[in-house]
Amino acid sequence: MQEPAALTPTQERTLALIRRDTEPLVFPQEFVDELLERATTEIAQLSARLEGESLWVSKGFLAKVHGCEVRHLAPDDFQWKPASAAGFVAHKAIELSLNWRGEPHPAAVVDDAMARLVDQADNRGAYVAGLSEGEWAELRSRAIDRTTKFLQDFPPLPLSAQPVLEAAARWKPTGTIEFTGKVDLVVGKPAGRESRLLIIDFKSGNKSFHHRDDLRFYALVQTLRQQVPPRKLVTYYLDYAESDVEDVTEGTLHAALTRALEGIARHVELTVEGRTPLKKVGVACRWCPLQSECTEGQVFLRGESDDHIDP
Ligand code: SF4
């Protein structure tokens, strides 16, 4: 990737927020040991309550189980659409741009990324390969928008910082529960027990406090698998060119573990122990597949739309 001659003000602003402090950050070994011990012990107890069921705990799982429990128990109806697929196409394009010969033009790297994804033997490849002309054009347009905003507004990523796009992390203690995390970008080279990793998620659209929960969970998985916590969590809002930055602390990691354990316990109560699920209305009702048969959700959504009618 060719370095720009000078950073733009938005690049400067972001760089100032995510730059490493001069003092190295090292978490006490006793804290990491205690976190690992607590996670291992409590996960073993929850595993036993699952009665043999395997459970993959991800940020999506936790968001669902802490939201409306009725929806959590509904069958998974996820299907790729141009709006959701634009993220992985743009990430592929950004990955290519890091090693592109000459200046990477967003449209050119997105076209190359989509052509490569067609050959990918997974559900993403199958989705891109099966697009109609119109869907292809919409996906291309959305991915170019994301890629352009990243290349123009985010600070350049030197390869020496070892950037990894769509970085996956897993942690599996004894039992049937596994933690799985994936974030858009991880930057930083490990150095002993010093916390150096910067964890970044890119978001289109509105800001939400839920985004911090997603990154905290990834930080927890990284800490459990590497026994070195990351140093900072960044949600970067592409449309605003703004970052929400949170330092990783002992409190952040304990809070993430508590939320994960509580989410698993709820799932066990609902799926194994027969507790009646509770409805929880909220903005997620807008996209809920059960909305047509849910009075509470319909009432909530009517109230929401009335709030937007001018008197
Ligand atoms: S419409 Fe809302 S309250 Fe009803 S089931 Fe769906 S998410 Fe839950």
Side-chain angles (χ1 to χ4, degrees), residues 68 70-71 279-282 284-285 288 290-291 294 296-297:
C68 173
V70 171
R71 188 178 180 191
K279 282 187 179 172
K280 186 170 169 186
V281 295
C285 294
C288 177
L290 307 174
Q291 190 200 107
C294 176
E296 294 88 336

Side-chain angles (χ1 to χ4, degrees), residues 10-11 13-14 149 153-154 236-243:
T10 46
Q11 289 173 322
R13 189 178 62 214
T14 303
K149 284 171 177 157
D153 296 329
F154 200 78
Y236 182 79
Y237 293 95
L238 289 156
D239 295 345
Y240 298 88
E242 283 179 4
S243 310

Side-chain angles (χ1 to χ4, degrees), residues 12 18 62 216 219 302:
E12 290 273 17
I18 65 178
L62 291 173
R216 286 177 176 189
R302 269 204 299 277

